[in-house]
Amino acid sequence: MAALPQQPIVPARQAVARLRSLWQRWFLWVLLALLVMVLLGTVVWLAGRHEADQVQAALDRDTSDAVAELRGGLQRNAQSLNALMTDTRGRVRWPEDEATALLRAHREWVRLEWRDPQLQLRAAADSPYRVRLFDEATREASRSDIALACAAASKLGGAAYSPSHYVPVGSGTGVEVMEICLPSEAGDYLIASYAMRETLIELVGPSLRRGQEVAFAEPDGTRLATVGAPRRGGNRIFTSQQLIDLPGVTLMLRVDGWRAEPDLFPNLLTGLVTGVSIALISVLILLARDTRRRLRAERELADTLAFRKAMEDSVITGLRARDLQGRITYANPAFCAMVGFSLDELIGRPDAPYWPTELVHEYQQRQTLRLAGGMPPREGFESVYMRKNGTRFPVLIFEAPLLNAQRVQTGWMSAFIDVSEQRRVEELSRASQERLQASARLATVGEMASLLSHELTQPLAAIASYATGSLNLLDGEPDGAPAELAMALRRIGEQAERAGQVIRSVHDFVRRRDRTREAVSPRALIDAVLPLVQLQARKLGVRIDIVLERDLPQVLCDRTLVEQVLLNLARNAMQAMDVAGIDERVLLIRAARGGGSNSSSVDSAGEARRWLEFSVADIGSGISDEVAKRLFTPFFTTRSDGMGLGLSLCRTVVEQHGGALLFEPNRPRGTIFRFTLLAAVPTAPLPLVTESTSP
Ligand code: ADP
């Protein structure tokens, strides 16, 4: 139960890990996108601001120009007024027609007045361009402004201006008016009333640009008089204000300008930057998409690679790639396991450490042929490789050209199958086939032996009878027969008898009848075969040494068959010494206690004492490994006249007696064959008796 709450942790952890990897992967992209956006935003903003600054600067310039023009115009007007009021000799005058002409020339003036030092009106002229603005009543309302201007004028000793004031015209409209007062030396004043709007039209108007509005304004922004294009909705407004310091009054000139273009794309520069920004963002988006596609492809590629790798690692077929120079560029684990070398020991090597040393030349030729473009057989070919520990093993090789993505050959790819097991099974089946054939032939031999023994019994019995008969006849001879003849006849009889016994034994052996086992002394067994062995020994110049342990017990055996075994081993030994280069040929026949049914199972001295061991040693040619493998196989022989049945029969006989027939190399040369037989009664070991018979 305790494990249950942990269950959801694993998916949660996986989700967290996935989120983290997703974040790590996208973090830089998001950061880059943000930075680009910020950069672009800043550039667009700066471009906009730069342009706004430019427009503002131009407007400020225009305003300064307008102020200068206004100031100049006002000054020129003041001079004209001065000229009107004073004649060339400096006297004050009021030329009516000149005043009218001036008013005609200056549309900005509404009225000219000549007033005495108490500001009482002496004369006045009105602008011909408009209906009379002032009557006595309205003019009286302006009196304070006039007084202010004239006070300033007399204080300054020159022209001075009054603050502007509103003169209603009727029906809710009116005109903003400003007075200028010029003092004369006589104390009189010349007063001109400026209509503010007309002043702007006349003095500033010509230099006014399209899309600009110029106005006299109060410090709080209230417009007193305005001239210029009315503002169109939705456009951005730029404003510039400058003060005009005039004697007696300070005016504010305000110029408004507006842009016809929309604010977001104020000009080409900003438009260009914005366009580039959009392109950049589009590229970023495309790049992000491309990256996503690439990541997906990478993931798929990694999956495929992992799958391939798992496949290559799990197959039992060895895989190896070589480049066009014959260097190993790749080998899978199965190949490394097959040859016993690690990947590091193989990669990059131009030679192959797994080539058997004796075949390197042949394999090199094969490789040269392959590198020269020779195509390998499609069905593969068999070869022998060497493991790191030096053992050889057969492999089946399939080779094919290695092509890259452009279908260009970059090397050779080979697949290897270790066929040792297959060969072993084939060898086993071949051996068992051979054994079957041998058994069949043995059966035939057995039949023949049985037939022969049957057929030979009669003639042998006849020979024995004739020998006995002849001896009887010789016994009957009065002057006695030669002793040698009698001896020879006796020998003939004995050998015939022996031949009969051999035939009977073989017959029994073949028929697998229970044979009579008897207790025989080892000496008797050896003595029985000695005459026949000596016959051959004499012929081949072999000395026979017989070594018998003292007081050996008797052995329980079918004596005829065991004698045959001894005879056979002695013959083989003498034949093995029938080669040149041996100084003294010696055949050693030995009988002693010890040994066992097979040596590994003998573990106690008591057990050992139950056994007798016979050995036949020679100093002949010895037995090679190749021969040793098949030594006891029926019909195996290295002699042209051999039957190859001797050793096979010997082993069968010994094993049927419960013993074992073994062989080992004799030092310094030759072979020792040993076989064991069960003793009739166990006895204690005693010293050896040695004897020797010379050829
Ligand atoms: P055969 O004597 O008819 O050849 P065997 O079965 O007795 O048949 O011997 C088989 C083979 O074993 C011989 O051909 C010989 O090559 C080899 N052989 C047997 N005994 C010896 C030995 N003492 N020294 C060397 N080789 C031997």
Side-chain angles (χ1 to χ4, degrees):
M1 282 309 284
L4 271 179
Q6 289 178 0
Q7 292 276 321
I9 290 178
V10 177
R13 262 195 211 139
Q14 279 174 355
V16 168
R18 216 176 32 236
L19 264 178
R20 187 176 302 148
S21 87
L22 213 68
W23 169 243
Q24 278 170 353
R25 195 171 295 161
W26 285 106
F27 171 71
L28 283 178
W29 278 108
V30 171
L31 193 70
L32 181 65
L34 276 177
L35 284 177
V36 167
M37 304 260 254
V38 168
L39 176 77
L40 294 180
T42 313
V43 169
V44 169
W45 179 73
L46 280 176
R49 219 184 69 162
H50 173 70
E51 201 214 346
D53 284 352
Q54 275 188 331
V55 173
Q56 185 66 50
L59 197 68
D60 287 345
R61 261 196 319 278
D62 287 353
T63 311
S64 300
D65 291 350
V67 167
E69 240 161 82
L70 194 69
R71 202 190 289 278
L74 288 175
Q75 254 165 24
R76 276 195 306 278
N77 285 0
Q79 281 165 5
S80 303
L81 288 173
N82 221 5
L84 173 79
M85 201 173 66
T86 326
D87 68 5
T88 43
R89 288 189 299 273
R91 281 175 310 179
V92 177
R93 58 182 186 127
W94 175 254
E96 185 74 44
D97 46 339
E98 263 182 60
T100 314
L102 262 183
L103 279 170
R104 203 178 294 279
H106 293 272
R107 290 166 191 252
E108 62 271 24
W109 288 328
V110 203
R111 183 181 165 93
L112 293 178
E113 288 177 352
W114 182 24
R115 286 180 186 257
D116 64 10
Q118 283 72 45
L119 293 180
Q120 291 305 317
L121 187 68
R122 285 196 177 163
D126 285 292
S127 170
Y129 296 111
R130 56 168 65 237
V131 280
R132 229 181 118 195
L133 189 65
F134 298 108
D135 53 20
E136 280 311 312
T138 49
R139 199 57 193 154
E140 210 43 47
S142 324
R143 207 183 152 80
S144 61
D145 291 304
I146 296 168
L148 217 61
C150 290
S154 54
K155 198 153 86 203
L156 290 170
Y161 298 83
S162 77
S164 71
H165 53 99
Y166 186 72
V167 180
V169 181
S171 66
T173 56
V175 179
E176 191 74 22
V177 174
M178 181 181 76
E179 315 288 344
I180 176 172
C181 184
L182 285 112
S184 72
E185 280 172 16
D188 294 347
Y189 297 101
L190 183 66
I191 293 156
S193 302
Y194 277 98
M196 299 294 264
R197 192 161 178 278
E198 274 68 26
T199 310
L200 287 178
I201 292 171
E202 292 302 316
L203 301 185
V204 184
S207 65
L208 198 66
R209 286 176 204 281
R210 272 162 68 104
Q212 281 182 346
E213 186 189 71
V214 63
F216 285 117
E218 299 268 19
D220 65 355
T222 319
R223 287 186 183 80
L224 302 174
T226 308
V227 166
R231 187 196 164 192
R232 271 165 295 169
N235 292 340
R236 181 170 168 191
I237 296 183
F238 294 87
T239 301
S240 179
Q241 308 191 113
Q242 277 189 27
L243 290 173
I244 315 165
D245 216 5
L246 296 173
V249 75
T250 301
L251 289 173
M252 169 133 47
L253 190 75
R254 174 189 167 119
V255 179
D256 285 339
W258 50 84
R259 303 282 314 165
E261 314 298 327
D263 278 355
L264 191 60
F265 302 104
N267 65 6
L268 189 66
L269 172 68
T270 317
L272 209 72
V273 169
T274 313
V276 170
S277 309
I278 290 170
L280 212 69
I281 288 170
S282 312
V283 167
L284 258 181
I285 291 170
L286 286 179
L287 220 70
R289 270 200 204 146
D290 185 58
T291 308
R292 211 171 54 220
R293 257 205 313 275
R294 263 161 206 272
L295 280 176
R296 199 183 314 130
E298 251 173 42
R299 234 183 354 254
E300 279 167 10
L301 202 70
D303 284 351
T304 317
L305 269 180
F307 174 68
R308 292 257 160 106
K309 177 106 184 65
M311 221 162 64
E312 282 163 17
D313 290 354
S314 60
V315 288
I316 52 162
T317 311
L319 296 173
R320 177 202 67 187
R322 284 187 297 183
D323 61 14
L324 287 173
Q325 282 72 49
R327 279 187 300 262
I328 299 173
T329 53
Y330 166 81
N332 74 340
F335 184 77
C336 294
M338 210 178 271
V339 294
F341 288 94
S342 72
L343 195 60
D344 292 341
E345 290 172 302
L346 296 175
I347 289 289
R349 284 181 72 147
D351 63 325
Y354 44 79
W355 283 352
T357 20
E358 66 278 11
L359 295 170
V360 166
H361 185 62
E362 185 190 320
Y363 287 10
Q364 236 148 20
Q365 277 178 341
R366 192 169 70 198
Q367 175 164 317
T368 315
L369 183 77
R370 198 72 77 242
L371 297 179
M375 287 301 277
R378 273 191 75 77
E379 65 278 7
F381 56 93
E382 210 174 308
S383 190
V384 175
Y385 274 6
M386 183 173 74
R387 295 196 183 88
K388 199 177 183 179
N389 61 13
T391 53
R392 272 64 166 167
F393 66 102
V395 279
L396 193 60
I397 308 176
F398 298 89
E399 286 198 311
L402 192 65
L403 305 180
N404 66 6
Q406 286 76 46
R407 314 286 307 156
V408 176
Q409 186 179 354
T410 55
W412 290 91
M413 187 76 210
S414 319
F416 299 82
I417 300 170
D418 184 347
V419 286
S420 349
E421 187 57 20
Q422 207 173 318
R423 292 288 163 275
R424 201 179 64 82
V425 170
E426 279 171 17
E427 181 60 32
L428 273 180
S429 92
R430 197 185 55 76
S432 77
Q433 194 70 29
E434 268 181 12
R435 263 202 309 280
L436 265 177
Q437 283 173 2
S439 307
R441 278 154 71 194
L442 265 184
T444 316
V445 169
E447 288 301 320
M448 276 167 60
S450 175
L451 203 72
L452 272 177
S453 62
H454 183 74
E455 293 297 322
L456 287 176
T457 317
Q458 299 299 326
L460 282 172
I463 292 170
S465 312
Y466 282 124
T468 318
S470 301
L471 274 174
N472 289 341
L473 282 176
L474 282 179
D475 277 351
E477 278 295 308
D479 49 348
E484 287 82 4
L485 192 61
M487 170 65 91
L489 282 173
R490 257 198 304 282
R491 290 275 181 269
I492 289 171
E494 276 169 24
Q495 289 305 321
E497 177 64 22
R498 189 179 146 70
Q501 270 174 9
V502 168
I503 283 168
R504 267 194 304 284
S505 284
V506 169
H507 188 72
D508 289 349
F509 178 74
V510 169
R511 291 282 167 214
R512 302 241 170 218
R513 286 207 198 113
D514 276 346
R515 281 168 299 283
T516 46
R517 300 257 166 105
E518 53 185 310
V520 196
S521 75
R523 150 80 56 196
L525 286 170
I526 293 169
D527 282 349
V529 293
L530 205 56
L532 292 172
V533 175
Q534 274 168 341
L535 264 179
Q536 200 174 5
R538 232 171 273 133
K539 222 162 56 188
L540 299 173
V542 175
R543 193 185 83 212
I544 303 170
D545 283 355
I546 295 170
V547 180
L548 279 168
E549 217 176 75
R550 210 181 279 275
D551 295 332
L552 280 176
Q554 291 184 314
V555 287
L556 207 58
C557 64
D558 181 327
R559 97 174 268 173
T560 323
L561 286 180
V562 173
E563 281 168 14
Q564 282 309 114
V565 170
L566 272 174
L567 189 61
N568 217 316
L569 293 180
R571 268 193 192 138
N572 276 349
M574 286 187 292
Q575 278 163 354
M577 288 189 284
D578 189 14
V579 285
I582 303 175
D583 296 339
E584 194 183 10
R585 295 165 180 169
V586 182
L587 172 69
L588 173 65
I589 302 174
R590 225 179 97 111
R593 289 182 185 78
S597 58
N598 76 54
S599 42
S600 65
S601 71
V602 179
D603 47 9
S604 70
E607 171 77 358
R609 248 177 266 131
R610 291 182 56 220
W611 292 92
L612 256 85
E613 188 186 75
F614 290 83
S615 63
V616 179
D618 65 70
I619 47 168
S621 51
I623 294 175
S624 69
D625 287 347
E626 200 52 44
V627 172
K629 272 189 218 154
R630 311 181 57 199
L631 200 62
F632 295 106
T633 314
F635 304 110
F636 169 75
T637 178
T638 58
R639 282 194 281 274
S640 53
D641 58 341
M643 277 261 287
L645 279 175
L647 283 177
S648 148
L649 276 172
C650 286
R651 192 163 74 167
T652 313
V653 168
V654 172
E655 282 173 1
Q656 274 180 357
H657 282 81
L661 173 63
L662 303 164
F663 68 94
E664 61 188 69
N666 191 12
R667 305 281 170 223
R669 59 175 293 174
T671 319
I672 307 177
F673 276 88
R674 303 172 194 279
F675 67 92
T676 49
L677 289 175
L678 217 50
V681 271
T683 49
L686 281 164
L688 292 174
V689 181
T690 309
E691 64 179 73
S692 176
T693 54
S694 293

